[in-house]
Amino acid sequence: MSDSTHANPLREGLTESAEADPCTIVIFGASGDLTLRKLLPALYNLSWDGLLHPETNIVGTSRTEWSDEEFQDHIRSSIEEHSRRKFDENVFDQFLDRAGYVGGDFADPELYAQIRKKIEALQTSGKTRSVLFYFATPPKVYELIATKLSEAGMIRSIEDRAWSRVIVEKPFGRDQKTAQALNDALHQVLHEDQIYRIDHYLGKETVQNILVFRLGNGIFEPLWNSRYIDHVQITVAESLGVGSRAGFYEGVGVLRDMLQNHMMQLLSLVCMEPPNHFSPKAVRDEKVKVLEAIRPFTGEEVDRHVIRAQYEAGTVAGSPEPGYRAEENVAPDSETDTYMAVKFNVENWRWSGTPFYLRSGKRLPKRATEISIVFKRPPISIFREEGASEPQSNVLTLRVQPEEGISLSFGSKQPGQRLRIDDVRMDFLYSTSFGQQAPEAYERLLLDAILGDSTLFAREDEVVLAWGLIDAIAKRWEEKGEPPLQYPAGTWGPGAANDLLEQDGRFWVRL
Ligand code: BG6
């Protein structure tokens, strides 16, 4: 569909019965950055696509004391500045008519009475009884909000025809213990099926395509194991620094900000067994099995398999950038990690013997998220005697962002009388093959929560298991008390990250 047309009432693959119910979306943290940059634009784009029921209302709430009109102005600037679709007065007006705001303290029961009133005031028919609550607040108030909602009688039983669901933003806990405690607290008032733990990486088109690519084609899956795959690399590189988010990032670092969630999700999708169905339970059961197959590191294994670093001043894309410790609101002696590389072994039938190298960092030379599947080389080189160079490994690259696509490198004879082999690439690019803009991750995930499909959300056991792996690393770092290594902004991390692969006779694929 082109950007300017306004058709396609149903997302491809959705059946009549999967049409969105009329509902109210209550956003806690409505004056925050996530709501401004992601949630409101996502809801607007879903409206544009006709994917929301016409009786979908939005209630914003936060401590900021805004009137409905002030919230509506906020929505306008959010759409104007951050929507992937251009501003359209018609879509916008309908959208705005159905938006209201309530300001107050999350601990105050009166706030919930006001929210309930606002929901009722926006209802134009008796149909809008289902409510999706979005917790876009600091995590420390998740439990409080859930409890207050329950005390106010705003959470329906799972048996009710109208539903109550809650989307919980990351970070979900700070370690395994706190994640478990948060699960327990939420389960006091919500059924697990009502809890949608969001990881926006799962909403990215290219991430969803990992399973389609693997399991929707006949030729790749037979090769998808340690017999043919030498190793796998997963890189999530960012060129930006911590920006204005140090308040959140300090003491959290890349380990908890990226590895625990986004990267473990990518790893699970690459490694999991084919599920029997594409259903939330079947898919998540298989992802959980992957996490169960990774043993938490011992202290000595952390020393050998994990690299931790922080950026110092340097130059990114020609622009001089300060070191992490000189960033706004960062302690001058901060030991927060902004880069890490890790080698995991997935100890199961399919993957034993194929290491997975993961790395992520801020202030790297460019923004790039890629999964590289590096295949084993042919057993012998029959062309060597003819003077040809050793064959290189075939690399299958799943490019999550930017320039979303998939490419396969392979050796090919260079034209000419001599036998020379060059590495060439076969490329698929989403933009040229489909010529349409993919929806934003938050669009897909908000719609799925409204449709009651939790396949692309993390289940309770998934987050707890992932935290177990993270805790083992964090514990060793704490015990040793050593500062992180340094790397200049604009480089690919510390030299030790290269050694991690070189000691295994491998190297990071060039991005
Ligand atoms: C967020 C992290 O979850 O993901 C940020 O908190 C990070 O630190 C961001 O920058 C990366 O997301 P994306 O979609 O830009 O790759």
Side-chain angles (χ1 to χ4, degrees):
M1 190 179 71
S2 87
D3 216 12
S4 54
T5 53
H6 184 200
N8 183 20
L10 283 180
R11 192 174 77 211
E12 222 179 85
L14 290 183
T15 61
E16 284 291 308
S17 61
E19 260 184 277
D21 289 337
C23 67
T24 303
I25 299 154
V26 177
I27 305 177
F28 287 86
S31 59
D33 204 45
L34 182 73
T35 307
L36 177 80
R37 289 189 307 114
K38 299 290 181 190
L39 304 184
L40 294 170
L43 290 168
Y44 170 78
N45 282 299
L46 287 171
S47 271
W48 175 301
D49 279 336
L51 292 169
L52 297 181
H53 191 283
E55 288 181 53
T56 304
N57 303 325
I58 301 172
V59 174
T61 178
S62 75
R63 267 178 316 197
T64 312
E65 288 296 343
W66 274 338
S67 63
D68 283 346
E69 291 68 34
E70 282 169 315
F71 183 50
Q72 290 170 355
D73 288 345
H74 185 72
I75 299 181
R76 177 181 277 271
S77 27
S78 153
I79 311 300
E80 280 173 350
E81 282 168 40
H82 300 286
S83 166
R84 73 183 167 88
R85 291 241 174 66
K86 62 183 183 327
F87 188 83
D88 177 307
E89 206 67 56
N90 285 335
V91 183
F92 185 72
D93 284 349
Q94 289 167 20
F95 190 65
L96 218 56
D97 281 349
R98 313 197 67 87
Y101 185 83
V102 184
D105 184 340
F106 296 148
D108 181 1
E110 181 52 25
L111 174 73
Y112 298 83
Q114 293 302 325
I115 295 174
R116 184 196 277 267
K117 267 200 196 150
K118 188 63 78 177
I119 295 175
E120 283 162 10
L122 287 168
Q123 285 174 348
T124 44
S125 72
K127 288 196 229 155
T128 328
R129 292 165 55 242
S130 298
V131 183
L132 175 64
F133 298 102
Y134 200 116
F135 293 0
T137 61
K140 61 176 188 288
V141 292
Y142 292 164
E143 185 180 339
L144 172 75
I145 300 173
T147 311
K148 293 285 171 200
L149 283 171
S150 162
E151 285 168 8
M154 294 170 78
I155 296 183
R156 291 174 182 280
S157 140
I158 189 94
E159 271 90 38
D160 224 322
R161 262 196 69 211
W163 44 260
S164 306
R165 296 179 190 137
V166 171
I167 299 186
V168 187
E169 261 298 331
K170 68 174 270 277
F172 194 91
R174 190 188 149 70
D175 50 26
Q176 193 173 51
K177 209 167 129 208
T178 49
Q180 188 59 66
L182 182 55
N183 275 334
D184 292 346
L186 294 177
H187 288 152
Q188 294 291 315
V189 297
L190 291 155
H191 189 280
E192 172 63 19
D193 292 349
Q194 294 174 303
I195 305 172
Y196 289 69
R197 295 173 195 78
I198 200 161
D199 183 312
H200 78 279
Y201 266 57
L202 291 178
K204 291 181 191 274
E205 276 292 324
T206 40
V207 173
Q208 294 166 46
N209 199 35
I210 297 173
L211 284 190
V212 174
F213 179 78
R214 282 186 55 193
L215 309 175
N217 295 292
I219 66 169
F220 304 109
E221 199 50 28
L223 305 178
W224 213 261
N225 55 56
S226 59
R227 253 179 102 178
Y228 300 102
I229 297 179
D230 178 70
H231 73 280
V232 175
Q233 299 182 15
I234 303 181
T235 300
V236 181
E238 298 185 90
S239 55
L240 294 178
V242 71
S244 56
R245 293 176 68 233
F248 156 73
Y249 199 79
E250 271 282 85
V252 170
V254 66
L255 175 70
R256 294 183 172 89
D257 186 39
M258 300 296 286
L259 188 73
Q260 188 274 336
N261 36 70
H262 308 323
M263 301 197 71
M264 295 315 288
Q265 288 290 347
L266 295 177
L267 177 70
S268 302
L269 291 171
V270 171
C271 289
M272 66 185 260
E273 291 301 314
N276 287 350
H277 325 273
F278 195 61
S279 69
K281 177 170 180 339
V283 170
R284 299 191 296 180
D285 281 351
E286 295 306 336
K287 282 164 64 193
V288 161
K289 284 189 210 158
V290 174
L291 297 172
E292 283 169 344
I294 306 174
R295 203 173 28 79
F297 287 136
T298 61
E300 182 269 333
E301 283 168 336
V302 173
D303 298 346
R304 273 194 295 125
H305 297 322
V306 191
I307 307 299
R308 167 181 183 238
Q310 185 189 73
Y311 63 83
E312 52 187 15
T315 305
V316 185
S319 146
E321 302 294 349
Y324 178 73
R325 291 177 182 176
E327 299 270 22
E328 187 191 330
N329 294 328
V330 172
D333 56 354
S334 169
E335 297 198 344
T336 298
D337 39 287
T338 64
Y339 174 97
M340 70 176 297
V342 55
K343 172 182 166 182
F344 280 127
N345 291 311
V346 180
E347 296 294 347
N348 64 14
W349 194 271
R350 185 188 284 260
W351 292 117
S352 180
T354 295
F356 289 78
Y357 300 96
L358 279 58
R359 63 176 166 169
S360 179
K362 292 202 185 285
R363 284 275 187 250
L364 300 187
K366 58 175 176 177
R367 175 172 184 254
T369 298
E370 293 196 7
I371 300 168
S372 303
I373 315 287
V374 183
F375 287 88
K376 291 189 173 165
R377 291 198 235 182
I380 54 163
S381 166
I382 62 164
F383 305 113
R384 197 188 308 150
E385 282 163 22
E386 310 295 316
S389 51
E390 284 290 322
Q392 298 299 306
S393 303
N394 298 126
V395 182
L396 177 71
T397 305
L398 310 179
R399 269 194 315 281
V400 174
Q401 62 192 20
E403 289 156 31
E404 292 79 357
I406 295 175
S407 52
L408 177 66
S409 75
F410 56 94
S412 180
K413 183 183 171 306
Q414 223 185 60
Q417 303 305 334
R418 292 183 50 216
L419 184 59
R420 292 196 52 183
I421 301 179
D422 255 4
D423 243 17
V424 294
R425 249 172 51 163
M426 218 153 60
D427 272 325
F428 148 67
L429 270 176
Y430 277 78
S431 54
T432 45
S433 295
F434 294 116
Q436 71 183 40
Q437 237 182 12
E440 286 263 334
Y442 279 94
E443 295 173 37
R444 169 67 194 244
L445 296 173
L446 273 160
L447 182 59
D448 277 1
I450 293 170
L451 295 174
D453 183 344
S454 55
T455 313
L456 300 178
F457 293 83
R459 204 168 59 188
E460 52 175 324
D461 44 354
E462 244 177 303
V463 283
V464 168
L465 278 165
W467 273 122
L469 303 175
I470 301 308
D471 284 0
I473 300 174
K475 181 167 164 255
R476 179 62 164 188
W477 288 354
E478 269 160 36
E479 272 167 15
K480 290 192 90 179
E482 284 173 7
L485 302 170
Q486 302 278 302
Y487 62 100
T491 64
W492 285 105
N498 297 334
D499 301 342
L500 183 70
L501 273 77
E502 277 165 23
Q503 69 202 13
D504 295 344
R506 302 183 173 109
F507 54 88
W508 291 107
V509 170
R510 256 184 66 188
L511 301 185

